[in-house]
Amino acid sequence: LRCHNSSWGVIASSFNCTMIRNRGKSKSNAVPRMTKTILSVVAVTSLGAGVAFARVADRGRVVKARNEASTTAKRMNHRSIDRRRAATKAELALEGPKYRGRNRHNAAREAKLRKLEAEASEHRKRNNVDYTPSQDANGKRMGDPSLLSREEVSHLALRSDSSGKRELSSQLTGCCYTYQSYSSSTLGSLYGKDLTTGDTPSHDSGDEDCTTDGLSFIGVSFSVNTAHGNPYTYQLNDQFPMENIIDRDYNYVMSMDEDGWLVGGGYKAFDYSGKMPYIDSSHTELLRVGNMNPAYGGTSISQVYNAMASLSFAPLSIYPEYVKGGGGGGDGSGSVPSSDVTLIVSVVETYSDDSYSDYEKFLNDLFNAFDAVGGGSCMDDHDTDPHVSMSRGVKFKSSTHEYNYFYTVNLEVAVWQSIYPKGVVIGSDSSAAFPPGSRTSAQYVGYGNLYFFYDRANITKAWAANRDMSSSEEYYSTLLANSDSDSLASMYSAVTTIGFDWQTKSGSGDDDQEDYEHNPYNWKATMAIHDMTDGWDLPPNCYMEGETFLGIPLAANSDSKLQSTSSFQNQFDFDSLCDFNYTYIVDFGTNHGWLVGEHLDNAVGSIVDKDTAHIPLFYLGTTNPNMGGMSLSNMIKVAKTIDFGTLYIKPAFVFADDNGHLKLQFEADSNSALGYLYNNLCSLLGISWNYNNPSNDYGYYTSCAMHAAGDQATYGCGPDNSGTGGFCPQMTIAYSAKFGSEDQAAAYMSMANNYVDYWRSLYPSGVAVGTNNFCSEGGCLGLFLNRMDVYQVFKPGSAGSWVEFNGGTFSPTASPAPTYQGGCDDPRNKHLDKCFRMQNKRKASVVAWDSLGTIGQLSILLVAFMATTLTVSIFLSRARRRKRKGESYVGFFLRDLQRTKKKKKKLRKRRKGGNDLEEDMLGDDRFGGDDDAYNPGPKPRAGRSSRSKSGSRSTRSKSRKSRDRSASRKRGSSRSRKDNDGDDDKSRRSKSKSRARSRQRSRSNSSRRNRDDGGNNSGRSSRRERSSSRSRRQLV
């Protein structure tokens, strides 16, 4: 038997080793030990039989309970054990990203082999080639490369892998290798898009000199500041409570476009619906100024201001008529129709002395004033029909809900008509500063003002009426503001019926309109690719729309002067895709212009927004849990559990979709990290659909996501996908862009796709976008409240890093989620913002250093470097002159340091005494201070003395004679100095010290080294000097 490590080897090893140990001993001692060994073998055998059928322990619960941020977890989940050895298959974690991807490369290789085999098989079928290959003399196959075996195909695949190219199609952090060499035009054909067409305006202005339409206008504002609206909204209207004619609670309305309600106070940044956080922009136009660029037939701002300054007008009274719905929409496949909701108003006609009304005179004066300043040809030649646009793309839950909504709001209008039977002058007893965000002091608003709207969200200037209101006008204009709650209740209770034909006027009672009802089970996964200028068709159990989504932020600093933009990437300059000069585009179908950053001085008067470029990936819907949605904190919790790879993206082509929106398509690579992330988001947060249910560790779900739980990236758009799902990475450039002609549309597409081809050549395998301050490694994911506001950032690999966006610095691991008991001591609270800041608090020195900036840091480093080099130069210069022979620089530094300390100590002692007679007359320069031990001077340097050992004695004898003569001269001179100056002790001591330091420098000066320092003590000093010279002769 031999000792080994097999399963039964333990028993055999125990017996064998016992026999070896008992060898050479007496049999009497060996027998009892052998008996014990046999008994132990039987016991182990029985124990082995008992555990033979036991199962291996399940480590899944251990891995789940492991803190993923710990060092141990990182080591166990890391593919490399150390620098020299990779982890074996048995050493990999039981679960996690490394476990899931352990066979990823083998799977990719198998996929490539299958592809090569399929191509070889197709080649054989096409050429009718027999599969039996010919063989050479050694029995190896030869001939047609399509007749290769699986092993030979594998060999060719491995050779192709070693060509140096990045095979990113099989890596979770890469993308877009399959169509690497394809141009944008070719990819457009593969995606089924026409890259040569675009929408053109249905009509023009009728004036050839007006090449670009515009949206700027003169009008009356109905803006109100409400508790549920945007806090920065102006209060310019105390007469009409516009919040009473909107459905903010979604009792009737199912969805709207991304702007939501344009009246009633605007939206907060954290509204459940996720609408754009604009201020209230309700208004009625009186004159459409249009384009603001004179070069394109427009009117400049200065011309507008001069024209209005020359105009004199009386306060205008406004009368509310009714609320109506208009337009129609829907795709005809179960989608409910969409329409615009509008409040119709009119200007009250008053007459003075002739047949023309005061309002007609005002319009005549208005046009004459603009003609006098040279107004452009794009200005309207007639006044517009007064109305207030309330919302666009509205979809009601059913025709019944639509009917009930219009009845409710028109009953409110009927109340207004009863309160203001002859109209009312619009205004407010408040203050405001124009434009929004202006640093000028707020001014009194007043009543009867006219405003210039550069765009619907920006009032830049106001003009007051030429007179005060009459007593009657003042009474009605301040009636609601001065009424208490009981008075208001009585006003509303007095009106129970609608005194006008609201059904016909509103359009809800038309005979041609068919009854409809939203069927949530007609929802399709392709609805995730949504037109943001229209309302959503909501899935089952969702009762409120929402614009919250997960996507890739692509915004960069723009030229906007009213808004600031955070830079999320510097790899693409999307301004190249914008026609800011309006060479090709003449108009937009909405109030929004270029979504990648509109300029303040844009010609068409589009809303001046900051850059909102992004790629929406997964729409989460409303953040209101009571309406079927999911709270914001729960969204963040679930998103943090996804360990996704770096998100690579690659532009494909620019095109105009079926709605006329300009979009930049990115390659929809389902095998990339972006596709992998989409699959996980659907399985974690998608809605239950087709017997597929979502599942996540927290159990938090939403019914308002626009993606199914069973949806995958392979079902999305693109030539390699089926086109039945919601995965289609696109960036919207502009809504409803209108080209001057089909030729101009084709020219723009050619220009834009030339830039795309350049980006494709620059990033052949895609790029992970980011900046130095935001996601420096690239490839981050953002949580958007809407397309304007990025709320949270997630870094690849579940990592955390400080990022800067929205004017502040944040961490991707911050969360407003509820805390567990124990505060930051509980590991479950480590992701909270408070705990993260405590555990990752930056040192004060680091903060101070960063506050200096690049120039300050370089200045400090430069000064420190100069001071260091200067110090080293001074030390080396001093060391060369004073270090002893054979002494190192370090030794000299230490000795010089000790000598400096002693000198400082002596100097302090001398400063304490004030009497010169108490000072040491001999000096301590030759005594170390410790037991009067003699401290010899340093040895002379090499090369300073020409004396040799043979001549040293004669030199010393000569030196003694010269010292005797110098001593006598010293005594004589000392007496004369003592008679003349009695207080020259300090000067004599300094001369003595200088003579002592020069003893080794020159032979001629050696005679002066034995002079004494006192006149009366010259003899004793001479003897002491002679004795010291003998000592020196012995020590040298």
Side-chain angles (χ1 to χ4, degrees):
L1 295 177
R2 299 182 61 186
C3 295
H4 53 85
N5 294 326
S6 64
S7 58
W8 291 96
V10 178
I11 303 173
S13 176
S14 175
F15 180 78
N16 185 34
C17 294
T18 303
M19 296 299 295
I20 293 174
R21 286 195 297 269
N22 292 334
R23 186 178 300 171
K25 295 185 179 180
S26 61
K27 294 182 180 180
S28 59
N29 295 333
V31 172
R33 295 187 179 183
M34 184 177 296
T35 303
K36 294 180 181 179
T37 303
I38 293 174
L39 293 176
S40 63
V41 168
V42 174
V44 172
T45 305
S46 62
L47 180 62
V51 300
F53 300 99
R55 297 176 60 187
V56 178
D58 183 14
R59 292 186 60 203
R61 60 183 181 86
V62 180
V63 177
K64 290 180 179 178
R66 183 186 303 141
N67 184 1
E68 290 297 329
S70 64
T71 305
T72 304
K74 292 179 180 179
R75 182 176 180 84
M76 295 185 69
N77 276 326
H78 203 277
R79 187 171 294 276
S80 177
I81 297 299
D82 52 37
R83 294 183 179 179
R84 299 178 179 84
R85 182 174 70 87
T88 62
K89 187 175 182 179
E91 292 172 332
L92 291 174
L94 293 180
E95 66 178 22
K98 299 302 180 183
Y99 177 79
R100 292 192 300 268
R102 68 192 190 283
N103 296 323
R104 175 164 51 86
H105 299 286
N106 295 334
R109 184 174 298 151
E110 289 293 326
K112 187 169 185 179
L113 290 176
R114 287 194 297 270
K115 182 178 179 181
L116 292 175
E117 287 179 344
E119 292 178 354
S121 177
E122 182 66 23
H123 179 77
R124 289 193 297 270
K125 292 179 181 179
R126 186 169 56 251
N127 296 281
N128 196 18
V129 180
D130 187 9
Y131 182 75
T132 304
S134 58
Q135 297 180 349
D136 59 7
N138 297 326
K140 295 183 178 181
R141 291 179 174 85
M142 55 182 296
D144 196 328
S146 64
L147 305 179
L148 298 177
S149 66
R150 183 177 178 87
E151 291 76 16
E152 291 170 329
V153 171
S154 176
H155 177 68
L156 290 178
L158 293 177
R159 289 184 59 187
S160 64
D161 286 343
S162 61
S163 62
K165 295 183 179 180
R166 299 175 63 194
E167 189 71 347
L168 294 178
S169 60
S170 62
Q171 300 181 17
L172 296 180
T173 56
C175 80
C176 323
Y177 178 79
T178 305
Y179 303 98
Q180 188 179 52
S181 59
Y182 284 55
S183 64
S184 59
S185 59
T186 306
L187 278 176
S189 301
L190 293 177
Y191 279 74
K193 304 297 182 182
D194 187 359
L195 307 187
T196 60
T197 61
D199 282 356
T200 57
S202 58
H203 64 278
D204 55 24
S205 62
D207 195 327
E208 296 180 355
D209 295 333
C210 180
T211 59
T212 304
D213 294 333
L215 301 175
S216 302
F217 61 91
I218 301 294
V220 178
S221 176
F222 294 86
S223 175
V224 293
N225 188 297
T226 62
H228 299 286
N230 193 305
Y232 298 102
T233 294
Y234 296 122
Q235 179 62 36
L236 305 178
N237 166 30
D238 292 343
Q239 291 70 39
F240 298 140
M242 304 295 288
E243 65 272 15
N244 293 346
I245 59 175
I246 65 174
D247 182 22
R248 194 182 289 272
D249 296 330
Y250 288 85
N251 295 321
Y252 312 102
V253 173
M254 179 177 64
S255 59
M256 298 168 283
D257 69 351
E258 67 173 8
D259 291 334
W261 294 107
L262 305 176
V263 303
Y267 285 92
K268 295 179 179 179
F270 288 90
D271 192 85
Y272 284 138
S273 64
K275 297 302 181 183
M276 297 294 288
Y278 290 140
I279 61 176
D280 188 337
S281 59
S282 55
H283 65 270
T284 182
E285 293 184 15
L286 300 181
L287 173 65
R288 175 67 66 89
V289 178
N291 180 8
M292 300 304 297
N293 191 340
Y296 299 100
T299 305
S300 66
I301 295 180
S302 60
Q303 289 175 325
V304 173
Y305 289 175
N306 293 333
M308 292 300 298
S310 64
L311 184 67
S312 177
F313 59 92
L316 301 177
S317 296
I318 306 298
Y319 183 80
E321 298 286 350
Y322 56 90
V323 177
K324 72 162 191 171
D331 57 7
S333 58
S335 175
V336 300
S338 62
S339 61
D340 299 341
V341 179
T342 306
L343 170 64
I344 303 300
V345 298
S346 61
V347 179
V348 177
E349 300 279 356
T350 58
Y351 297 87
S352 300
D353 53 357
D354 51 21
S355 59
Y356 292 99
S357 66
D358 294 337
Y359 181 59
E360 290 176 331
K361 294 178 181 178
F362 162 75
L363 292 178
N364 185 64
D365 294 340
L366 181 63
F367 284 110
N368 291 335
F370 275 88
D371 290 338
V373 297
S377 57
C378 291
M379 185 175 60
D380 284 351
D381 295 333
H382 56 83
D383 61 309
T384 59
D385 295 330
H387 66 276
V388 181
S389 297
M390 297 174 56
S391 184
R392 299 186 177 95
V394 180
K395 291 185 177 182
F396 292 94
K397 298 177 181 179
S398 66
S399 57
T400 303
H401 288 85
E402 180 183 356
Y403 177 90
N404 292 334
Y405 166 77
F406 282 110
Y407 172 79
T408 302
V409 297
N410 279 292
L411 183 60
E412 177 73 19
V413 174
V415 174
W416 296 351
Q417 291 179 355
S418 66
I419 297 176
Y420 313 116
K422 296 182 180 180
V424 63
V425 178
I426 306 300
S428 175
D429 189 19
S430 62
S431 300
F434 306 106
S438 175
R439 296 183 179 181
T440 59
S441 59
Q443 303 293 329
Y444 176 72
V445 174
Y447 300 87
N449 294 340
L450 295 182
Y451 302 92
F452 173 66
F453 292 76
Y454 186 86
D455 55 65
R456 66 168 301 120
N458 290 298
I459 299 176
T460 62
K461 197 170 182 59
W463 292 273
N466 57 7
R467 65 172 177 83
D468 295 334
M469 293 185 296
S470 64
S471 59
S472 176
E473 292 173 339
E474 184 178 0
Y475 169 77
Y476 284 107
S477 295
T478 59
L479 179 59
L480 287 184
N482 296 332
S483 300
D484 55 15
S485 58
D486 294 337
S487 301
L488 291 176
S490 62
M491 293 178 188
Y492 277 85
S493 61
V495 180
T496 58
T497 59
I498 302 176
F500 51 89
D501 187 7
W502 65 273
Q503 297 184 44
T504 303
K505 292 182 177 180
S506 66
S508 61
D510 293 343
D511 296 334
D512 297 336
Q513 182 179 6
E514 297 181 358
D515 293 339
Y516 65 89
E517 183 177 1
H518 170 61
N519 183 4
Y521 295 97
N522 285 334
W523 182 88
K524 297 180 294 185
T526 54
M527 291 182 178
I529 308 173
H530 178 62
D531 176 14
M532 301 305 294
T533 62
D534 203 4
W536 295 89
D537 286 330
L538 300 182
N541 302 318
C542 180
Y543 308 103
M544 181 180 182
E545 64 172 337
E547 311 291 345
T548 305
F549 64 91
L550 291 166
I552 301 177
L554 298 176
N557 287 333
S558 68
D559 294 333
S560 172
K561 299 178 182 178
L562 287 181
Q563 302 284 351
S564 60
T565 297
S566 299
S567 290
F568 299 120
Q569 57 87 22
N570 51 23
Q571 285 74 26
F572 301 103
D573 182 13
F574 294 123
D575 285 350
S576 304
L577 305 179
C578 300
D579 182 21
F580 290 118
N581 295 325
Y582 297 94
T583 305
Y584 313 101
I585 294 175
V586 297
D587 191 15
F588 295 102
T590 68
N591 290 286
H592 301 283
W594 300 106
L595 303 184
V596 296
E598 185 58 273
H599 292 178
L600 174 63
D601 297 327
N602 64 85
V604 298
S606 299
I607 294 178
V608 181
D609 279 339
K610 62 182 181 180
D611 191 343
T612 59
H614 65 278
I615 300 176
L617 181 64
F618 191 91
Y619 284 99
L620 293 162
T622 179
T623 57
N624 188 353
N626 298 326
M627 301 293 282
M630 186 177 183
S631 67
L632 196 60
S633 59
N634 291 341
M635 291 179 182
I636 296 173
K637 277 187 176 181
V638 177
K640 285 181 179 179
T641 63
I642 305 176
D643 187 10
F644 61 92
T646 304
L647 303 179
Y648 280 76
I649 58 175
K650 184 179 180 180
F653 52 87
V654 174
F655 72 105
D657 65 3
D658 297 336
N659 300 304
H661 307 328
L662 291 180
K663 292 187 175 182
L664 172 60
Q665 177 73 52
F666 290 82
E667 287 199 33
D669 186 358
S670 58
N671 295 320
S672 64
L674 195 64
Y676 165 79
L677 175 59
Y678 182 81
N679 296 341
N680 280 268
L681 287 172
C682 290
S683 62
L684 291 174
L685 295 172
I687 62 173
S688 298
W689 198 256
N690 289 339
Y691 306 102
N692 293 309
N693 298 315
S695 177
N696 57 67
D697 294 338
Y698 291 101
Y700 300 146
Y701 305 103
T702 177
S703 298
C704 295
M706 298 305 295
H707 305 267
D711 194 7
Q712 296 182 5
T714 54
Y715 302 153
C717 65
D720 296 334
N721 305 322
S722 62
T724 59
F727 177 69
C728 193
Q730 296 175 347
M731 184 194 78
T732 304
I733 303 173
Y735 292 142
S736 302
K738 307 297 183 181
F739 294 93
S741 63
E742 288 293 338
D743 293 337
Q744 290 179 342
Y748 169 81
M749 294 298 177
S750 176
M751 178 273 297
N753 283 298
N754 283 337
Y755 283 102
V756 174
D757 288 333
Y758 167 72
W759 290 333
R760 291 182 60 80
S761 63
L762 190 64
Y763 310 112
S765 300
V767 61
V769 297
T771 65
N772 294 331
N773 295 328
F774 177 85
C775 194
S776 56
E777 292 82 8
C780 289
L781 179 71
L783 174 61
F784 292 74
L785 300 178
N786 45 63
R787 67 176 173 88
M788 182 178 291
D789 295 325
V790 179
Y791 180 73
Q792 183 76 14
V793 177
F794 306 95
K795 192 177 179 182
S798 298
S801 65
W802 293 96
V803 294
E804 295 181 6
F805 62 96
N806 286 352
T809 304
F810 305 92
S811 170
T813 57
S815 171
T819 60
Y820 292 94
Q821 293 183 355
C824 295
D825 295 333
D826 194 326
R828 292 175 294 182
N829 294 331
K830 66 179 182 179
H831 63 279
L832 299 180
D833 181 67
K834 177 181 178 181
C835 301
F836 186 89
R837 291 177 184 272
M838 291 177 60
Q839 298 171 2
N840 300 271
K841 185 177 181 181
R842 303 179 69 190
K843 296 182 179 180
S845 58
V846 176
V847 175
W849 177 255
D850 293 340
S851 64
L852 295 174
T854 305
I855 298 178
Q857 292 172 356
L858 291 176
S859 301
I860 291 179
L861 292 176
L862 181 61
V863 171
F865 175 76
M866 295 174 62
T868 303
T869 54
L870 180 62
T871 303
V872 172
S873 301
I874 294 175
F875 169 75
L876 294 176
S877 177
R878 190 166 183 266
R880 289 192 187 97
R881 292 186 294 102
R882 298 194 175 187
K883 74 184 187 73
R884 296 173 180 175
K885 183 178 181 181
E887 186 179 19
S888 64
Y889 286 101
V890 177
F892 170 77
F893 175 75
L894 297 176
R895 181 172 60 83
D896 188 65
L897 188 64
Q898 294 176 355
R899 183 171 57 184
T900 304
K901 291 181 179 179
K902 292 178 181 179
K903 288 184 178 181
K904 290 181 179 180
K905 184 176 180 181
K906 294 173 185 177
L907 184 60
R908 285 196 299 269
K909 289 182 179 180
R910 292 172 182 173
R911 287 179 179 176
K912 289 180 181 179
N915 193 354
D916 295 340
L917 297 178
E918 295 178 358
E919 295 182 2
D920 186 8
M921 304 299 294
L922 296 177
D924 295 333
D925 56 331
R926 285 169 292 179
F927 294 88
D930 297 334
D931 299 332
D932 291 335
Y934 182 77
N935 186 14
K939 295 181 180 181
R941 289 188 180 183
R944 289 295 186 92
S945 176
S946 60
R947 292 178 296 177
S948 61
K949 292 183 179 180
S950 59
S952 61
R953 294 182 180 178
S954 59
T955 305
R956 289 173 187 150
S957 60
K958 294 179 181 179
S959 177
R960 281 198 298 270
K961 294 180 181 181
S962 62
R963 281 197 299 270
D964 293 338
R965 289 192 296 270
S966 63
S968 60
R969 287 194 301 269
K970 176 72 179 293
R971 283 193 295 269
S973 61
S974 177
R975 291 191 187 94
S976 61
R977 283 197 302 271
K978 185 176 179 181
D979 294 338
N980 296 329
D981 297 321
D983 294 332
D984 289 340
D985 294 330
K986 294 183 181 179
S987 61
R988 287 195 296 272
R989 282 197 299 271
S990 62
K991 292 180 180 181
S992 177
K993 289 180 181 180
S994 62
R995 287 193 297 271
R997 284 195 299 266
S998 62
R999 287 165 187 161
Q1000 297 177 359
R1001 299 181 181 177
S1002 144
R1003 188 187 312 171
S1004 61
N1005 295 333
S1006 62
S1007 60
R1008 286 176 290 179
R1009 283 180 295 186
N1010 296 319
R1011 294 180 181 178
D1012 57 328
D1013 293 334
N1016 297 331
N1017 298 328
S1018 61
R1020 184 170 50 184
S1021 176
S1022 176
R1023 290 193 298 271
R1024 190 173 297 172
E1025 185 71 20
R1026 286 194 295 270
S1027 63
S1028 63
S1029 65
R1030 297 190 187 97
S1031 301
R1032 283 196 297 273
R1033 286 195 298 272
Q1034 294 174 0
L1035 293 173
V1036 172

